[in-house]
Amino acid sequence: MNISHPLCARLFRSPGLFRSNGNLIRRAGPYLKAMEGAQDTTLLEREDTSYMGWIHAGITIFCFAAPSAVMAMPFAIGNAGFLGGMILCLIVTGASILGAKLLLRLKLLYPDCKTFGDIGFQVLGTPGKIWGNLIQLGNFCLFMPCALRFCGLALKGIGNFPGFDECVDYYVFVVAFVCLVTTQVRSFKNAQCFTVLSLACVIGMVLSMVYASFRYENPHKIPAMWFGNPEPEEGLRLIRLAGGCSIAAWAFIPGFLTVELSSCLAEPSEFNKSLLLAGALNVLGFCAGCVVIARWGYKVGEVIAVTPVMAWTPGLAVNSVFNACQLGGNFVSYMLDSVPLGRFCQRAWAPDFKDTWSAGDIGRYLTYTLPVFAFALTLSVFTPSINVLLDFTTALTTPWVSHVYPAVIYWRLKTRGGINVPPQPMTIKEKLIVSYVFLVGCLAVFACFVKAIGFLVFEELRPKFQVGCDGWLLWKP
């Protein structure tokens, strides 16, 4: 090989080339492939060398669920208690970070893997790929209707449109087109400016909640406890506690993005810093929830804006600011959900897609994402209760992706090996980490199912069921 060739020279000047075999393969691959047919150095100009920084990656992890989660963090603290809620937050957040680190180790071993299912295939074969895709992409499919609904509720909270009355579905139809447009970003790198906007919206929501809690009193305030909640009925008290666990489980979910997002970093190992940044932001969100609960008591709405206080009266500035931030943040949440899901559809239906920004390719990519959008819009409008959909989506997918799946495939790789990776004895530290992540995941699955079922059983907690609005009501019990 002629190492004076400009492509070779650039390869061997790359910083950190010999840090790991995974990085060596990842860095060398594109250059060697380009050299096969290179007649001049113009290929260097065509190569996309843009990467995402670890700070941006951390913001993306946090903002993936935060616009919805911060609205529910006070509810989690109120039902688990000040200390109980914060301890719960730290336990689940720590397990989620460790689960994502296990996935990152697998990603570094298999740098060519681009999706959650790809990692599963390398360790468990086709069953691992199916299992991984089912829980990850299944969550994306079922959360997108929730994000659409949250956007509609936020728009309605800003101000009622003439003729819309109290029908949230009309507001969902208004925001639907914008949500469809957001699916066209195609990659997390293209969404970086939007995630910064989402972070600003999340900060705006937190500040609005805290300001509202100091500015307006809750006439029905019942002081919260340090551990648990003061519900007099034991069963109701347990279900509410499980509700706090459920929110902690879906408020911070880095495992959903680890494989895809670490591929966007120049040094995937720096993703560890992204995880710590996102985890710290998540803990700060729960701290803000403590402030709100200290002011309004434990019995707040699962979404803070439905708490019966003056702050959420339509027309008040704090209400408008909160809902405007909620709208912007959930637009970005919908976008981030659609990126891996849209790519999966494109790779399945059009693996030879050129991925340019020509009018033709824009139209083709729109058609690849259109079926998923239609599915999300249909579920958002015709699901009797979006809260129930979110509860069961969480129980069936979230702890599995964040905790159970990473622990299982890492343990399987170490004990039986994977493709081109022989089995190796696990250290005591690895055994403790895998056991901790797996145990927290199993407990989270149990708590999420208890919450989902309990909120159906207890009439006081049961959400409103309805399909359609006045004038075209399709079903109402």
Side-chain angles (χ1 to χ4, degrees):
M1 180 184 293
N2 179 13
I3 61 173
S4 64
H5 192 285
L7 285 167
C8 288
R10 184 173 176 183
L11 170 62
F12 286 98
R13 286 198 307 268
S14 297
L17 177 62
F18 300 104
R19 291 182 186 176
S20 70
N21 291 336
N23 281 338
L24 175 61
I25 296 172
R26 180 182 58 76
R27 288 187 177 277
Y31 296 102
L32 296 179
K33 183 177 180 181
M35 287 182 61
E36 291 177 0
Q39 300 299 321
D40 51 46
T41 61
T42 57
L43 281 174
L44 286 174
E45 299 173 2
R46 299 179 202 166
E47 182 198 353
D48 179 15
T49 58
S50 61
Y51 291 107
M52 179 185 291
W54 68 266
I55 295 177
H56 258 119
I59 293 173
T60 302
I61 295 169
F62 174 67
C63 291
F64 188 63
S68 303
V70 293
M71 300 186 294
M73 287 175 180
F75 180 83
I77 295 296
N79 288 285
F82 290 113
L83 283 180
M86 289 307 302
I87 291 172
L88 186 65
C89 166
L90 292 173
I91 289 174
V92 177
T93 300
S96 298
I97 290 175
L98 291 174
K101 284 177 173 284
L102 295 179
L103 289 173
L104 181 61
R105 291 184 185 183
L106 294 168
K107 165 66 180 176
L108 294 176
L109 284 174
Y110 298 104
D112 291 334
C113 290
K114 301 297 183 184
T115 68
F116 201 70
D118 289 345
I119 291 289
F121 178 79
Q122 298 294 328
V123 180
L124 297 175
T126 301
K129 183 173 185 177
I130 295 174
W131 183 22
N133 286 337
L134 185 63
I135 55 179
Q136 186 203 36
L137 300 179
N139 178 278
F140 294 158
C141 282
L142 294 175
F143 181 77
M144 288 171 74
C146 302
L148 264 175
R149 195 75 175 182
F150 294 150
C151 287
L153 287 167
L155 184 60
K156 179 180 179 296
I158 295 173
N160 289 331
F161 286 14
F164 281 21
D165 298 324
E166 294 298 314
C167 185
V168 179
D169 293 335
Y170 294 150
Y171 295 91
V172 171
F173 290 133
V174 171
V175 302
F177 175 74
V178 180
C179 287
L180 175 61
V181 172
T182 65
T183 65
Q184 307 311 301
V185 295
R186 302 187 189 179
S187 73
F188 290 119
K189 287 187 289 186
N190 294 337
Q192 290 184 71
C193 61
F194 296 102
T195 55
V196 174
L197 171 64
S198 180
L199 179 61
C201 289
V202 170
I203 294 173
M205 292 170 69
V206 170
L207 293 178
S208 297
M209 290 191 306
V210 173
Y211 170 79
S213 68
F214 280 93
R215 177 68 176 80
Y216 300 93
E217 298 292 334
N218 181 3
H220 310 289
K221 177 180 178 179
I222 301 175
M225 300 171 60
W226 289 106
F227 292 94
N229 58 79
E231 281 289 346
E233 186 178 345
E234 185 176 353
L236 198 58
R237 186 164 61 246
L238 177 63
I239 299 302
R240 281 189 170 276
L241 176 60
C245 296
S246 176
I247 290 165
W250 66 262
F252 180 67
I253 45 178
F256 280 89
L257 302 181
T258 296
V259 178
E260 292 86 351
L261 202 54
S262 62
S263 301
C264 300
L265 272 64
E267 293 291 343
S269 59
E270 288 195 334
F271 193 71
N272 288 302
K273 294 188 284 187
S274 306
L275 293 171
L276 295 177
L277 172 62
L281 292 173
N282 183 62
V283 173
L284 288 176
F286 274 86
C287 291
C290 289
V291 176
V292 175
I293 292 301
R295 293 288 303 164
W296 282 350
Y298 93 98
K299 211 165 189 177
V300 297
E302 188 170 3
V303 174
I304 194 64
V306 302
T307 305
V309 294
M310 284 288 294
W312 310 126
T313 302
L316 287 181
V318 65
N319 177 69
S320 299
V321 170
F322 177 84
N323 282 291
C325 292
Q326 179 190 351
L327 179 62
N330 278 290
F331 270 139
V332 179
S333 286
Y334 186 94
M335 175 195 300
L336 296 177
D337 256 4
S338 73
V339 167
L341 195 56
R343 275 299 181 193
F344 178 84
C345 294
Q346 174 259 302
R347 287 168 180 154
W349 298 334
D352 297 327
F353 178 63
K354 294 181 180 179
D355 204 9
T356 70
W357 292 101
S358 66
D361 279 351
I362 291 174
R364 278 185 283 272
Y365 198 82
L366 181 65
T367 61
Y368 305 146
T369 58
L370 198 57
V372 175
F373 165 77
F375 175 78
L377 182 60
T378 301
L379 271 188
S380 181
V381 173
F382 294 102
T383 298
S385 170
I386 210 70
N387 289 339
V388 173
L389 175 62
L390 180 59
D391 287 344
F392 280 95
T393 298
T394 299
L396 292 169
T397 61
T398 303
W400 298 92
V401 172
S402 297
H403 308 114
V404 177
Y405 188 83
V408 169
I409 61 173
Y410 190 85
W411 172 82
R412 176 64 167 73
L413 177 73
K414 284 292 187 175
T415 55
R416 300 188 183 181
I419 297 179
N420 298 326
V421 176
Q424 296 178 353
M426 295 178 66
T427 64
I428 295 178
K429 180 180 178 180
E430 286 177 316
K431 290 179 180 178
L432 290 174
I433 290 175
V434 170
S435 300
Y436 174 69
V437 172
F438 182 77
L439 178 61
V440 171
C442 291
L443 293 175
V445 169
F446 176 75
C448 290
F449 272 112
V450 169
K451 193 266 184 179
I453 297 171
F455 270 56
L456 293 177
V457 172
F458 285 86
E459 186 174 356
E460 181 180 339
L461 302 174
R462 190 180 306 144
K464 177 183 176 182
F465 291 93
Q466 181 174 318
V467 178
C469 298
D470 295 338
W472 60 284
L473 189 63
L474 301 180
W475 179 77
K476 185 176 182 180

